[in-house]
Amino acid sequence: MKKNIPSLLLLSLSLTACGGSGGGSSSYNENQYFGEFPYDYPKYQDALDAANLEQSDPTSGNSDATTIKYAGDFADFSNDYFAITGTSNWLTFEMSGEDNRSELRFTTNFKTSDSDFYRLVAKALPTSVTDSLDSSNDVEMTLLQIDNDEGYAPLVRVIWDSATRDEYSNSYWAVINTGSCDTDDTDASCFEYTYLANYNAASTTKFEILVEDNLLTINVNGETAVNESTSYWPSIDNYFRAGVVNQYANGTSMVQFETLTYNTNIPVADLNASVAPSDNFDLLDWYLSIPVDKGNGTATSISAKNLDGGYENSDYFYTNSDDGGMVFICPIDGAKTSTNTSYTRTELRGMLSRGSSTSASNMDNNWVFSSAPQSAQDDAAGVDGILEATVAVNHVTTTGTTDQIGRVIIGQIHANDDEPLRLYYRLLKGHTKGSLYFAHEPITGSEKWITLLGSSSSSASQPSDGIELDEKFYYKITVQGNLLIVTIKRDYKDDIVRTVDMSASGFDDEDQYMYFKAGVYNQNNTGSGSDYVQATFYYLKNQHTGYDDF
């Protein structure tokens, strides 16, 4: 096996084997303790995988910052200026000395004229304001900014300022570069100060900075405070920063981030609408089940080699001729994969041998937890895993019993007999927006459910921020050791991250193996036989430590 990757965190829940009826939601505390290091906290991991940490040395007398850590290399790291502190378990940046900084520098560069959007969202709270006020008469600290390396002052900085400006003091402001002022420019006419919000020592303030198509938008606690054209801005590479810049002579600045996320358009593969799915997606490490009787009463399986060779089926699995997406369709009636399952499916099953072995139980096709014995890790094709997909659910069942209408599973982690994770989309009859939730089935014990959006209840009201049919969204399922993370992303929406401990679920036993599944697993067997579920995948990627994917 190859090198171990940094520890990630995951969710621990329980489910019934091969599908379940759905139950009450479990509560989730996003501020729970996960460890002593920032990267131990799942809600910060995507940001830390996308940014470098730059820090000044406050003892040097020089405000220049150097790169302390690079994106993706934050495991087991903290220092005096970047840590998890206090009872809040929030990410904290601290710095002293004028113009010194401790900041994340996001590695993606963008032009303000780009048609793609770039979005930084933070719930932030400066926490040394009183000490700062005691130390200086003119106190300012920068929390967020859009910076560049071309010699221009930042396009915008989000600051906390103790000074009285207009009728406001002890407030948050956006400092916007109105012309192309350089980094040394002190001309006040170069900068526009826009009031954002009053400082509240008792709670975080939510800032959202969005850049797209020559437009800069800043929303504060859900209300738009800045909405300005940036057509005047030069065509240079820009990037986001988040953390703290100490901009006064004495004292120390400290900023805590309850949340910090960076996102842009959810991933979509480079798709050709006129070719088979295997020409758009790497399908050599999957086989496909379709609900067609292979002659013995069970479902037909399409081998990895056949799937990779251009397999299509106009009834169940094909390329969408309009947008190139990979379409999965599954009716209620049809052959099932085994006597242990109650439902039909059109679904991919991971096969990591990439066609060299057709035995699903062969360890060359499966992966294990890094918390499993070393002998099991040595035998497996990979250790731990990440499954990423961008998908749109196109149709759900509308007939049958109330507890089954509208349910479909679109992603799974499966073990020998049980399911560490099943990811559900559900749209109730009469609703236009659906829910997302997932289940975890331990080897022993009852299944549990975690809500991502809306509710798993058959009588729930429509979720105001639910997902409509044909709406693309992204999911990521991550396993590291006994931890599980499920992440949901949508364009222009806040990320949803849920994390649960699986240490008591039994999947780290030496005899247990895992595989991912993706597609549609119909969760209705009471409706009309021709009623069906359908989903289209626009991105699909699986990763494992020690597994060479090609």
Side-chain angles (χ1 to χ4, degrees):
M1 306 305 297
K2 294 180 183 161
K3 67 182 189 309
N4 289 326
I5 58 178
S7 63
L8 301 171
L9 301 173
L10 312 143
L11 296 129
S12 144
L13 318 165
S14 16
L15 350 116
T16 54
C18 299
S21 61
S25 303
S26 300
S27 60
Y28 179 76
N29 175 17
E30 68 173 10
N31 295 319
Q32 61 188 290
Y33 178 79
F34 288 106
E36 61 178 302
F37 302 110
Y39 200 78
D40 291 339
Y41 291 75
K43 63 182 178 180
Y44 302 125
Q45 287 178 0
D46 279 359
L48 298 180
D49 285 338
N52 301 333
L53 177 64
E54 298 181 354
Q55 291 180 338
S56 307
D57 179 358
T59 66
S60 69
N62 184 337
S63 63
D64 291 344
T66 59
T67 300
I68 303 298
K69 281 290 175 181
Y70 289 93
D73 190 32
F74 282 84
D76 302 327
F77 172 78
S78 65
N79 63 17
D80 290 342
Y81 314 112
F82 172 83
I84 296 291
T85 60
T87 58
S88 64
N89 296 320
W90 292 348
L91 175 61
T92 302
F93 298 82
E94 184 173 349
M95 187 50 63
S96 59
E98 188 168 14
D99 294 330
N100 288 337
R101 69 186 64 219
S102 176
E103 284 186 306
L104 293 175
R105 190 276 198 206
F106 288 84
T107 58
T108 298
N109 295 322
F110 57 88
K111 292 178 171 56
T112 57
S113 59
D114 288 349
S115 58
D116 289 343
F117 76 88
Y118 301 90
R119 182 173 179 263
L120 186 67
V121 182
K123 290 183 179 179
L125 178 65
T127 54
S128 289
V129 171
T130 302
D131 291 343
S132 301
L133 289 170
D134 290 343
S135 304
S136 173
N137 292 322
D138 185 13
V139 179
E140 178 183 310
M141 63 179 82
T142 297
L143 291 64
L144 308 167
Q145 52 182 317
I146 297 176
D147 203 356
N148 64 85
D149 293 329
E150 303 296 330
Y152 298 101
L155 171 61
V156 64
R157 293 186 297 123
V158 173
I159 68 168
W160 168 82
D161 193 355
S162 67
T164 299
R165 196 181 307 278
D166 298 332
E167 70 269 32
Y168 304 105
S169 63
N170 194 15
S171 302
Y172 297 110
W173 295 81
V175 184
I176 300 172
N177 187 337
T178 60
S180 38
C181 314
D182 62 35
T183 53
D184 298 320
D185 208 320
T186 59
D187 184 354
S189 65
C190 273
F191 301 100
E192 172 187 293
Y193 283 73
T194 300
Y195 168 78
L196 298 179
N198 288 331
Y199 171 74
N200 183 348
S203 66
T204 58
T205 299
K206 181 180 178 181
F207 301 96
E208 175 190 5
I209 306 176
L210 177 67
V211 178
E212 179 184 28
D213 279 335
N214 278 324
L215 187 67
L216 169 67
T217 302
I218 302 178
N219 297 318
V220 182
N221 292 330
E223 300 292 331
T224 300
V226 173
N227 192 43
E228 294 191 6
S229 171
T230 58
S231 58
Y232 64 86
W233 191 247
S235 182
I236 60 173
D237 285 339
N238 305 274
Y239 53 84
F240 285 117
R241 289 185 179 274
V244 64
V245 182
N246 189 68
Q247 291 171 297
Y248 51 95
N250 302 307
T252 296
S253 293
M254 179 188 293
V255 180
Q256 288 190 316
F257 287 82
E258 182 181 5
T259 62
L260 179 62
T261 57
Y262 161 78
N263 50 45
T264 184
N265 304 70
I266 57 176
V268 172
D270 184 13
L271 302 175
N272 183 337
S274 61
V275 300
S278 60
D279 290 325
N280 286 323
F281 299 88
D282 179 6
L283 299 180
L284 190 55
D285 51 7
W286 302 91
Y287 79 61
L288 176 70
S289 294
I290 59 174
V292 175
D293 190 342
K294 66 181 178 182
N296 65 355
T298 60
T300 298
S301 296
I302 312 303
S303 71
K305 285 187 175 180
N306 287 338
L307 191 61
D308 186 60
Y311 174 83
E312 286 189 276
N313 184 306
S314 60
D315 292 324
Y316 307 110
F317 178 78
Y318 56 87
T319 296
N320 185 307
S321 60
D322 292 326
D323 59 22
M326 180 166 54
V327 179
F328 297 77
I329 299 175
C330 187
I332 290 175
D333 275 358
K336 302 173 180 66
T337 54
S338 73
T339 57
N340 293 326
T341 184
S342 302
Y343 306 102
T344 55
R345 72 185 81 205
T346 301
E347 192 177 39
L348 296 171
R349 191 268 197 213
M351 296 286 282
L352 300 184
S353 71
R354 300 187 66 82
S356 65
S357 170
T358 58
S359 171
S361 60
N362 189 315
M363 290 306 292
D364 287 347
N365 282 317
N366 301 299
W367 54 278
V368 300
F369 288 11
S370 61
S371 52
Q374 187 61 49
S375 58
Q377 297 184 48
D378 292 340
D379 289 341
V383 175
D384 294 336
I386 301 173
L387 176 64
E388 298 175 87
T390 296
V391 60
V393 177
N394 312 115
H395 191 275
V396 295
T397 57
T398 58
T399 61
T401 58
T402 302
D403 62 319
Q404 294 189 355
I405 287 174
R407 296 186 311 168
V408 59
I409 292 172
I410 54 175
Q412 296 190 69
I413 302 171
H414 209 294
N416 306 39
D417 300 307
D418 305 290
E419 297 142 340
L421 178 128
R422 300 192 310 266
L423 178 61
Y424 289 77
Y425 173 84
R426 188 170 195 191
L427 180 66
L428 296 181
K429 210 166 184 178
H431 290 186
T432 59
K433 296 180 179 180
S435 299
L436 283 176
Y437 53 92
F438 68 94
H440 170 79
E441 180 187 29
I443 292 176
T444 59
S446 59
E447 67 181 4
K448 298 177 183 176
W449 303 78
I450 292 290
T451 297
L452 297 159
L453 275 170
S455 169
S456 61
S457 171
S458 299
S459 58
S461 58
Q462 176 165 274
S464 60
D465 200 29
I467 296 175
E468 298 182 0
L469 292 178
D470 299 321
E471 178 184 344
K472 294 185 183 75
F473 62 95
Y474 163 94
Y475 70 74
K476 180 167 70 171
I477 300 167
T478 309
V479 170
Q480 181 68 34
N482 285 318
L483 296 168
L484 169 72
I485 306 168
V486 177
T487 303
I488 303 297
K489 294 177 180 286
R490 293 185 288 167
D491 287 347
Y492 306 102
K493 302 284 188 180
D494 291 352
D495 293 357
I496 301 169
V497 182
R498 296 290 181 265
T499 307
V500 182
D501 180 15
M502 296 192 295
S503 58
S505 298
F507 294 116
D508 54 2
D509 185 84
E510 63 181 353
D511 296 323
Q512 290 292 310
Y513 59 81
M514 310 292 144
Y515 50 94
F516 284 128
K517 305 192 86 173
V520 290
Y521 184 13
N522 197 334
Q523 294 295 287
N524 188 336
N525 58 14
T526 61
S528 169
S530 60
D531 204 355
Y532 67 99
V533 293
Q534 176 179 328
T536 303
F537 281 68
Y538 296 92
Y539 182 82
L540 184 66
K541 182 179 181 181
N542 61 300
Q543 304 172 63
H544 307 277
T545 303
Y547 170 61
D548 284 326
D549 54 349
F550 299 91

